Amino acid sequence: MSTDVKSIPLGEEKLQQRKSERQKFEQQTTSANGIKLPIYMDNHATTPMDPRVLEEMLPYFMEKFGNAASRNHSFGWVGEEGVETARERVAKLIGATTKEIIFTSGATESDNLAIKGVAEMYKEKGNHIITAVTEHKAVLDTCKRLEKYGYRVTYMPVQKDGLVDLDELKRTLNDKTILVTIMAANNEIGVLQPIAEIGKLCRERGVIFHSDATQAVGKIPIDVTKQNIDVMSISAHKMYGPKGVGALYVRRKNPRVQISAIIDGGGHERGMRSGTLNVPGIVGLGKACAICMEEMPKESCHLAGMRNRLRDKIMGGLDEVYINGSWEHRLPGNLNISFAYVEGESLLMGINDIAVSSGSACTSATLEPSYVLKALGTGDDLAHSSIRFGIGRFNTEAEVDYVAERVVETVSRLRELSPLYEMAKEGVDLKNVKWAAE
Amino acid sequence: MAYSDKVLDHYSNPRNVGSLDKSSQEVGTGLVGAPECGDVMKLQIKVNPQTNIIEDAKFKTFGCGSAIASSSLATEWVKGKTVDEALQIKNTEIVKELSLPPVKIHCSVLAEDAIRAAIHDWKKKQDVSKPATVEAR
């Protein structure tokens, strides 16, 4: 969740340490009731690849290795065919046409290309961009960089449930606004923004609407036409596809949206994204989209069912558990909850046979609790106590039951250890305590 | 986050968890940290008034595994020491014993603060009680 990813080369000692941690993790094999451990329930961070996706990709590494841009021989044509099939599948999933799909290296690049590309292309028209404080860093940090180049950015607050206030958005739009960028589904709390309404509003005002739909595509129905989305970021590895590949949807008509490239070169992808195409990755993205298209109605019901089961079991076993963000407008596989009086990292340590994320400061490099939870008005204390469960395609009900049991047991144990729980039970109002460290 | 075996041991089997009667004359209570910062430690000591030896110590901690381990270790270390000896415990010794990484040093600082706060509270009780007893005569 608040994964502050700093991917720097590790020293020898660090590598050894990681290796031994991994071995410890892998040693935990099977639990009493036949569940394979550890359990992966962090599907917002990434998803395991669907075997059907891998199968589709494999020929494109060896036999069908051609450069999709080679126009003079069959090797190239075969590669191109793979790419174009994928383009059709991506387009179909989101209600777009093939010419509107630009392949990229992932959603971070797509966000950068969308925001910087629109800002550059429309700078004569205006210099104002609107986004929200709960966006992914790929959007926020891109906007921050544009501020250095003279753009004005409004970071809209969100309401207690995590949703953007449409009236406030209306008031924030002005003559200089060229772009509104609001995510479809939040990566921490799974909250779904009213993108159709935002899209409609932007269309009426002639403002381009970009949505980072990394967490949403393949999980919930997205239709760029019905929802008036002009530019949209897509990632493969959040929907059981491979890492390192994504796409950007760019509207071609009603209205035609133009973006400036940020990577120049051979003019691939209609000049919007140069660089030899990652053919196997793109084929994988396409297959992942096709599977999602086919299975979404059934899968979303199934995931929501398991998610609700997890919630019910946890809430049945513990008091003072709080769900972060809107329950109603939420991704089917997401559950983000705070366990009062228990610190998130210590909870993760107790359930170390389950892979989930915490909004606790201790799990991030910055020692700041989740900025998303803070934006909802969740106190820092509850932000430190939060856990994000991301249920995915390959989780089972037996796993959900095991996770719920382990969580209830560990939280109960840690509360017995918590001075805050003791004080609260004695009737002390923790808000009125004068804490030494403040 | 990587944990040393000692941190894992204290986390899984914390020593001296619990509470002492904070209104008792012989008990000193230290409550340090803040929920907003993600760490709160309560450390209590029971001191023999004749010998000034800490006969019992208990803790409860809201915090990460390293915070739990630091306070658990602190209770082990103060037990059997005189209050003056206990005041000599340095956070750096806790860091060393538990092999805490740099980002977790604040946990050891908090544990040292908790020891000091508990002793301070106990001393305050002793200072107050003396003149009060005189007056009562």
Side-chain angles (χ1 to χ4, degrees):
Chain A
M1 172 149 62
S2 57
T3 31
D4 284 280
V5 189
K6 299 269 182 316
S7 205
I8 43 169
L10 296 168
E12 194 55 38
E13 194 187 334
K14 250 308 188 335
L15 275 173
Q16 277 305 323
Q17 201 182 357
R18 292 262 164 104
K19 200 176 154 195
S20 82
E21 274 172 60
R22 200 187 62 226
Q23 281 165 350
K24 269 187 219 162
F25 201 64
E26 286 167 353
Q27 270 162 19
Q28 308 157 338
T29 44
T30 320
S31 85
N33 36 1
I35 297 168
K36 201 168 162 286
L37 297 176
I39 292 170
Y40 188 76
M41 212 174 263
D42 200 13
N43 285 284
H44 301 303
T46 192
T47 52
M49 219 162 66
D50 192 302
R52 293 169 286 181
V53 172
L54 178 65
E55 203 183 323
E56 191 101 352
M57 287 170 70
L58 281 175
Y60 289 89
F61 286 101
M62 304 275 287
E63 306 136 54
K64 304 182 182 180
F65 65 87
N67 186 331
S70 296
R71 295 285 150 86
N72 304 321
H73 49 65
S74 63
F75 295 91
W77 302 332
V78 168
E80 191 187 22
E81 200 182 297
V83 168
E84 292 316 313
T85 305
R87 209 185 295 279
E88 276 165 30
R89 287 168 157 179
V90 176
K92 199 170 167 202
L93 179 63
I94 61 170
T97 62
T98 52
K99 287 181 178 172
E100 296 174 312
I101 305 297
I102 308 298
F103 290 117
T104 67
S105 66
T108 293
E109 188 194 327
S110 296
D111 287 340
N112 270 266
L113 176 56
I115 297 166
K116 289 174 184 167
V118 166
E120 164 80 24
M121 186 60 79
Y122 295 86
K123 65 181 174 208
E124 303 300 326
K125 199 183 157 217
N127 68 344
H128 182 224
I129 296 167
I130 300 173
T131 186
V133 290
T134 51
E135 290 293 309
H136 192 274
K137 289 284 182 190
V139 167
L140 293 177
D141 288 356
T142 303
C143 288
K144 272 195 201 120
R145 184 173 297 274
L146 287 177
E147 282 185 285
K148 286 190 195 150
Y149 300 141
Y151 290 89
R152 278 207 321 108
V153 180
T154 304
Y155 301 91
M156 279 186 37
V158 293
Q159 302 169 96
K160 252 187 118 49
D161 59 5
L163 293 167
V164 165
D165 181 347
L166 290 167
D167 289 327
E168 176 141 5
L169 176 60
K170 236 179 256 176
R171 286 191 296 270
T172 312
L173 285 163
N174 64 47
D175 299 344
K176 293 275 175 225
T177 310
I178 49 174
L179 176 69
V180 170
T181 170
I182 302 282
M183 67 193 347
N186 186 272
N187 50 304
E188 288 191 27
I189 51 178
V191 162
L192 309 178
Q193 296 294 351
I195 46 172
E197 288 82 354
I198 296 170
K200 186 164 172 272
L201 192 60
C202 290
R203 185 63 49 85
E204 284 164 9
R205 303 285 285 259
V207 173
I208 294 169
F209 174 41
H210 165 250
S211 186
D212 174 355
T214 307
Q215 299 285 347
V217 172
K219 318 289 171 52
I220 56 164
I222 296 276
D223 188 309
V224 290
T225 306
K226 282 187 196 146
Q227 292 171 310
N228 290 321
I229 299 167
D230 298 319
V231 189
M232 185 171 81
S233 305
I234 300 168
S235 171
H237 78 103
K238 310 287 190 187
M239 49 168 156
Y240 314 96
K243 290 165 188 63
V245 59
L248 186 68
Y249 159 79
V250 184
R251 178 171 287 284
R252 294 251 308 169
K253 56 180 186 186
N254 309 319
R256 178 182 166 86
V257 175
Q258 287 178 291
I259 56 170
S260 297
I262 53 179
I263 297 179
D264 294 309
H268 306 74
E269 298 298 273
R270 306 178 177 277
M272 282 188 260
R273 207 283 190 175
S274 289
T276 297
L277 294 183
N278 168 9
V279 178
I282 290 166
V283 166
L285 168 60
K287 182 65 178 175
C289 286
I291 296 171
C292 287
M293 176 107 198
E294 178 113 340
E295 300 181 357
M296 194 194 299
K298 217 174 130 195
E299 182 166 276
S300 59
C301 279
H302 180 57
L303 290 181
M306 286 201 285
R307 188 267 317 273
N308 295 351
R309 185 183 177 97
L310 182 62
R311 175 199 62 175
D312 295 344
K313 292 214 161 199
I314 288 174
M315 293 185 106
L318 295 166
D319 60 349
E320 298 214 53
V321 174
Y322 305 99
I323 292 171
N324 295 309
S326 165
W327 182 253
E328 196 190 338
H329 305 282
R330 181 181 290 259
L331 284 174
N334 176 281
L335 182 62
N336 186 313
I337 32 185
S338 290
F339 300 90
Y341 319 120
V342 170
E343 194 276 329
E345 190 193 338
S346 68
L347 177 51
L348 290 189
M349 214 171 146
I351 53 171
N352 63 351
D353 49 1
I354 301 162
V356 289
S357 288
S358 171
S360 159
C362 287
T363 61
S364 74
T366 55
L367 292 178
E368 275 292 314
S370 153
Y371 67 91
V372 172
L373 295 182
K374 286 177 81 165
L376 305 192
T378 308
D380 277 9
D381 50 342
L382 280 176
H384 281 293
S385 304
S386 73
I387 299 283
R388 176 188 70 182
F389 300 91
I391 301 175
R393 182 175 292 166
F394 302 108
N395 288 121
T396 63
E397 279 202 356
E399 286 178 340
V400 166
D401 291 352
Y402 178 83
V403 169
E405 207 173 287
R406 292 278 286 123
V407 167
V408 169
E409 167 193 298
T410 308
V411 169
S412 305
R413 182 176 94 81
L414 290 171
R415 279 182 175 172
E416 284 310 310
L417 220 69
S418 169
L420 303 179
Y421 189 63
E422 183 183 63
M423 290 163 85
K425 290 288 143 188
E426 283 168 1
V428 176
D429 185 352
L430 295 173
K431 299 255 179 299
N432 295 333
V433 176
K434 206 178 168 301
W435 299 102
E438 279 177 339
Chain B
M1 186 60 62
Y3 303 101
S4 68
D5 289 341
K6 282 185 179 160
V7 169
L8 286 170
D9 179 40
H10 278 280
Y11 171 81
S12 312
N13 310 292
R15 332 287 200 258
N16 307 308
V17 177
S19 299
L20 299 169
D21 176 11
K22 61 173 177 275
S23 60
S24 161
Q25 193 63 29
E26 295 168 8
V27 171
T29 301
L31 184 67
V32 296
E36 296 77 52
C37 307
D39 297 292
V40 177
M41 283 182 194
K42 187 188 77 165
L43 192 144
Q44 293 182 300
I45 51 169
K46 183 166 173 272
V47 185
N48 181 318
Q50 266 81 47
T51 60
N52 278 3
I53 285 174
I54 299 171
E55 291 185 332
D56 200 5
K58 294 278 182 205
F59 88 97
K60 281 200 175 192
T61 290
F62 162 82
C64 64
S66 303
I68 290 171
S70 297
S71 41
S72 169
L73 180 66
T75 58
E76 271 194 324
W77 279 1
V78 299
K79 266 208 215 174
K81 285 195 169 71
T82 65
V83 287
D84 288 336
E85 285 166 353
L87 281 172
Q88 302 303 312
I89 296 171
K90 293 273 167 297
N91 82 290
T92 47
E93 299 169 85
I94 298 174
V95 170
K96 211 172 143 202
E97 175 69 15
L98 297 175
S99 316
L100 295 181
V103 294
K104 296 294 180 186
I105 288 175
H106 72 274
C107 300
S108 70
V109 173
L110 208 58
E112 185 189 316
D113 288 350
I115 298 173
R116 289 170 180 278
I119 293 175
H120 180 73
D121 180 57
W122 174 79
K123 281 193 169 161
K124 220 168 61 189
K125 280 183 181 171
Q126 312 311 311
D127 292 347
V128 175
S129 69
K130 273 171 205 158
T133 355
V134 174
E135 251 186 51
R137 283 176 188 171

